[in-house]
Amino acid sequence: MNVTLRQMKVFESVARNLSYTRAASELFLTQPAVSMQIRQLERQLGVSLFERVGKRVHLTEAGKEVYQYSRSIAQTLDEMETLLADLKGLGSGRLRISVASTANYLVPSLLAEFHRHYPGITVSLDVTNRESLIGQLRDNTVDIVIMGQPPAGLDVDARAFMENPLVVVAPPDHPLAREKNVPLERLREEVFLVREPGSGTRIAMERFFAERGIQLKTGMEVGSNEAIKQSVQAGLGLGLLSRATIEQELALKRLTVLWIAEFPIMRHWYIMHRHGKRLSAAADAFKRFLLQDAGRPPAPA
Ligand code: PGA
């Protein structure tokens, strides 16, 4: 049997994603190159690994068995890479970090600061939704995840490192923009734009109002913070957003934060990884950096 590591790596990605297209983009290959590697692997092994039902790709029984081996090969290679990087110290190494879409507004500046301390460490940053973050934690394909609430039912080490206030935003000419301490009940008269299901911001918003017995009028469902901001500016309704997402719009006076009783909803950002995961030196350094230094004002020069 003449199976190559490359074939196993390509197979692992197609099997995990159940998609040739997603595997191709993950591995920076073309789709025909991915198909060719899989065909060669099937020929070497003498079995079919995938079957197509309509447009969907499924693993065959043999494919499921080979997937277990490909996962353990990938994990072993990862461990080897981590160990060697640790032997070389923090002058090199790789940090794979995945963050929730809202966290994308604060993480790049934190990474820039981290990079100033550890210029030799290569960072790969994935910005994705909460559901996919939970999948990455479950499959142990990422070093560090940053999101707004640790997932229930998954054994993770989660530490809060920064406050994440959620605020009600409106266009600056909104009638409530001039009022102070607006009672929560008054929000029943407004229309709210909401994020997509699965968004941490949306879950927090729904929980907050449900606990207070307030049923909001919800308007459009909008799939990103950017689109919510544009829609609020266009007068389609009020938005409930993490304060971190609106710095620029506040500075440019395109949006304003309403003063509502009991607001902001105070959440936190969490850094997390699978419980018991052996963190690489790079991931460990990033975790320590976040917990000790992040969010502090820089020391005076
Ligand atoms: P989001 O927020 O999913 O609404 O982008 C991040 C989170 O709260 O986990």
Side-chain angles (χ1 to χ4, degrees), residues 196-248:
E196 76 284 3
S199 141
T201 309
R202 173 160 167 177
I203 294 168
M205 171 181 180
E206 288 176 346
R207 187 176 306 136
F208 177 84
F209 287 106
E211 279 169 4
R212 286 156 184 80
I214 293 180
Q215 176 98 40
L216 290 181
K217 277 190 267 181
T218 50
M220 250 168 32
E221 191 171 286
V222 186
S224 74
N225 290 306
E226 281 307 308
I228 294 244
K229 292 191 283 184
Q230 296 295 336
S231 307
V232 172
Q233 281 179 50
L236 288 168
L238 299 182
L240 197 142
L241 292 170
S242 165
R243 178 76 170 64
T245 66
I246 51 170
E247 292 299 338
Q248 285 192 18

Side-chain angles (χ1 to χ4, degrees), residues 100-103 105-106 130 147-149 162-170 184 187 192-195 199-209 211-212 216 225 228 238-247 250 256-270:
S101 55
T102 301
Y105 289 82
L106 61 133
R130 183 176 167 88
M147 61 176 160
Q149 182 75 39
M162 204 184 259
E163 290 186 337
N164 175 24
L166 303 187
V167 293
V168 178
V169 295
L184 213 48
L187 294 181
F192 270 81
L193 304 165
V194 289
R195 283 279 304 278
S199 141
T201 309
R202 173 160 167 177
I203 294 168
M205 171 181 180
E206 288 176 346
R207 187 176 306 136
F208 177 84
F209 287 106
E211 279 169 4
R212 286 156 184 80
L216 290 181
N225 290 306
I228 294 244
L238 299 182
L240 197 142
L241 292 170
S242 165
R243 178 76 170 64
T245 66
I246 51 170
E247 292 299 338
L250 292 180
T256 191
V257 172
L258 298 185
W259 181 353
I260 312 286
E262 296 189 51
F263 264 81
I265 301 175
M266 190 49 84
R267 302 182 76 213
H268 288 86
W269 289 117
Y270 287 83

